[in-house]
Amino acid sequence: MLRTLRQVIRPRTRIRTLIRNYRQYLRDKQLPKEGWYETTIGDLTWRLNMNSFVDRSIARFGVFEPSTTQQIKAIITPDMNVIDVGANIGYFTMILARQVGDRGCVW
């Protein structure tokens, strides 16, 4: 049974990887190499400087530091008060603000 399950999961994983890579290829092909780029991710519109690594990552993948973003979304709950010691464009500040909601606070 386990061997059969692996045989089913692996091809699907490979297909998903191929699709993800192809979508990434198309997205990269359309992205400018420098200057400003405006994109909408979810319901937020970002104006990104394509000369910046962080901004390019957001434009390319739709997220910066995916594992950190996932952890923040898992840990931070509505109505919490959190401190963000930011040093860039406010990516994590926006994620935190969405997580804490109207009654929470991001300092």
Side-chain angles (χ1 to χ4, degrees):
M1 176 74 174
L2 185 59
R3 184 175 182 168
T4 305
L5 186 59
R6 283 184 182 166
Q7 291 171 347
V8 171
I9 291 174
R10 282 186 182 155
R12 287 184 182 173
T13 303
R14 289 183 194 134
I15 290 170
R16 287 181 187 152
T17 301
L18 287 173
I19 291 170
R20 185 178 62 241
N21 290 344
Y22 182 68
R23 286 182 182 161
Q24 189 59 53
Y25 165 77
L26 292 176
R27 186 181 298 149
D28 287 346
K29 190 175 178 182
Q30 298 169 359
L31 290 176
K33 302 294 181 207
E34 57 186 32
W36 293 95
Y37 176 72
E38 193 167 294
T39 186
T40 301
I41 301 168
D43 59 347
L44 293 174
T45 300
W46 295 86
R47 187 164 187 255
L48 304 168
N49 180 356
M50 297 306 285
N51 298 321
S52 163
F53 172 77
V54 173
D55 293 19
R56 275 195 317 271
S57 295
I58 294 170
R60 185 174 182 202
F61 302 113
V63 66
F64 178 66
E65 295 184 354
S67 60
T68 305
T69 301
Q70 269 184 334
Q71 289 176 1
I72 287 172
K73 288 181 176 182
I75 294 170
I76 305 301
T77 59
D79 304 334
M80 285 181 82
N81 292 322
V82 296
I83 296 174
D84 175 27
V85 183
N88 210 299
I89 64 170
Y91 172 79
F92 288 114
T93 305
M94 296 303 294
I95 300 293
L96 290 167
R98 294 293 166 113
Q99 289 299 111
V100 300
D102 293 337
R103 294 182 8 176
C105 188
V106 178
W107 298 90

